[in-house]
Amino acid sequence: MQIEKDLKIHLAASKDPGRYAMHGVLHTPGKLTATNGQIAARINVSDDEGDGEGQIVPAALIKAAVSKPGKGTAVVHTNGNGICRAITKAGVVEDKEIDGEFPKVDAVIPDVPQCRRALIGINAQLLLDLVKAIGCENNCARLELDLEELSPDKSYGGPIRITSTYGVGVIMPVTVEHRVD
């Protein structure tokens, strides 16, 4: 698969030792998905002939591939045989696919964006990691949330959807500070 080098999907992967399957990035046709339990990110990739699907690629391998000097795309191959390969500045690097069940993030990254908005309190570091993971032109991202998720005390219980030209992600629940109609 070909991954745009300015997309840092590996930043959305978990480092928590108890969440082994989330240490990787899930490859499905034309997409890579990562989550750490607080943020989830999905980016579009160009699959190469022979790339498998459903593999969990180690986040460190993705990081090594996109860190190769130069502009353009990074190359990572998954062929379903348990081994992933990446072209890095050190040459071709291999690593085992991560075995386990990747979380079903489709429930929090819906296909149809929500259109109602609010001004919210947000963890800036998580937002920065997510924006880097999905890539944003000119450092611009679009935040969307469903105001139906607001409770009477204005606590927000649903995911905040972040979209860019290249991908989509979510940040988990935060508190709403001011409502914007």
Side-chain angles (χ1 to χ4, degrees):
M1 78 190 83
Q2 307 286 317
I3 307 166
E4 292 295 325
K5 285 189 177 180
D6 57 346
L7 304 182
K8 310 296 184 198
I9 190 75
H10 60 277
L11 295 175
S14 179
K15 294 171 184 68
D16 181 344
R19 298 178 168 199
Y20 184 67
M22 292 180 359
H23 285 201
V25 179
L26 179 66
H27 174 240
T28 54
K31 303 205 180 297
L32 287 176
T33 302
T35 184
N36 66 11
Q38 294 180 305
I39 61 174
R42 178 175 289 148
I43 61 170
N44 298 325
V45 296
S46 298
D47 290 329
D48 293 326
E49 188 175 329
D51 279 341
E53 62 180 77
Q55 290 85 13
I56 303 173
V57 180
L61 192 67
I62 300 282
K63 180 181 179 181
V66 299
S67 297
K68 182 180 176 193
K71 297 201 178 279
T73 58
V75 179
V76 176
H77 293 291
T78 62
N79 59 15
N81 66 359
I83 301 293
C84 304
R85 291 178 182 81
I87 299 174
T88 70
K89 61 185 172 188
V92 176
V93 176
E94 291 185 350
D95 202 348
K96 291 181 180 178
E97 295 171 5
I98 294 175
D99 190 25
E101 186 172 336
F102 197 82
K104 302 199 180 326
V105 297
D106 291 338
V108 293
I109 301 181
D111 288 335
V112 179
Q114 302 299 325
C115 294
R116 298 181 73 191
R117 297 176 181 89
L119 178 62
I120 57 172
I122 196 166
N123 180 313
Q125 185 61 54
L126 289 177
L127 177 60
L128 178 61
D129 287 349
L130 184 56
V131 166
K132 286 180 181 178
I134 64 173
C136 295
E137 262 183 29
N138 302 319
N139 294 320
C140 294
R142 180 176 172 182
L143 283 66
E144 304 166 352
L145 56 128
D146 181 357
L147 292 179
E148 299 303 321
E149 296 283 346
L150 287 175
S151 67
D153 69 351
K154 296 189 178 181
S155 295
Y156 183 72
I160 300 166
R161 181 180 168 95
I162 314 298
T163 59
S164 75
T165 305
Y166 304 108
V168 61
V170 294
I171 296 179
M172 298 309 156
V174 296
T175 302
V176 175
E177 295 176 346
H178 303 284
R179 185 173 177 153
V180 178
D181 294 322

